[in-house]
Amino acid sequence: MIRLSGKAYAVADEEQEKWRDVIFEEQPYLANVYPGDTRNIGIVFCIDKAEIEYFNLSVNPIFRETYLLGNVQAKEKGFLITASCVGCGKCQAACPQRCIDISTVPAVINQNHCLHCGRCAEVCPVQCIKKF
């Protein structure tokens, strides 16, 4: 799975035809989808600043990698186990990806394998798991 987070904007009107030609040249099958003049129906847009997250959901635990496009900062996502952790292990038992290490207190979540589902926070008896 790929998640792209960014802002799209239309390419300037005077550049639309040029970029449409490039797109149709690089992806000739589009001529079957938009024959003749119908290809002008589309608006060419650009996303030049974005965060791309790649998830391999076919493995357990999952694998996640983040890539940045343009001059952007990665936004931290996920859950954090705070110092209030009592080491009970309920979060680890509830985690579908088995990405919580309870060998230390507070326990630690491996963010590269976390689904961000929040099950750990739901079962924590001391509510020490916070979304960030």
Side-chain angles (χ1 to χ4, degrees):
M1 181 176 91
I2 295 176
R3 178 186 327 170
L4 179 116
S5 304
K7 292 190 178 188
Y9 59 91
V11 171
D13 288 342
E14 60 272 9
E15 297 284 315
Q16 286 286 320
E17 186 175 349
K18 175 184 101 175
W19 286 109
R20 196 169 7 262
D21 289 345
V22 169
I23 291 167
F24 275 78
E25 183 179 316
E26 291 180 357
Q27 300 178 53
Y29 69 89
L30 286 176
N32 295 326
V33 179
Y34 298 101
D37 291 342
T38 64
R39 73 188 235 169
N40 294 331
I41 196 169
I43 297 172
V44 179
F45 64 91
C46 181
I47 302 172
D48 57 7
K49 295 178 184 170
E51 181 176 326
I52 303 165
E53 287 184 275
Y54 165 74
F55 302 83
N56 183 345
L57 301 174
S58 67
V59 296
N60 190 302
I62 66 161
F63 173 79
R64 171 185 282 121
E65 190 78 29
T66 301
Y67 305 93
L68 303 177
L69 178 62
N71 186 21
V72 295
Q73 295 281 337
K75 293 179 182 166
E76 294 290 327
K77 298 180 200 88
F79 289 83
L80 176 70
I81 302 175
T82 67
S84 303
C85 175
V86 295
C88 69
K90 290 184 179 184
C91 59
Q92 184 185 47
C95 179
Q97 293 298 304
R98 299 182 310 275
C99 65
I100 301 176
D101 178 6
I102 60 169
S103 66
T104 62
V105 176
V108 176
I109 300 172
N110 181 332
Q111 298 299 324
N112 286 334
H113 300 307
C114 180
L115 287 172
H116 302 166
C117 67
R119 289 197 60 195
C120 56
E122 290 173 2
V123 301
C124 180
V126 294
Q127 295 151 0
C128 73
I129 303 175
K130 306 296 179 196
K131 187 173 186 172
F132 59 92

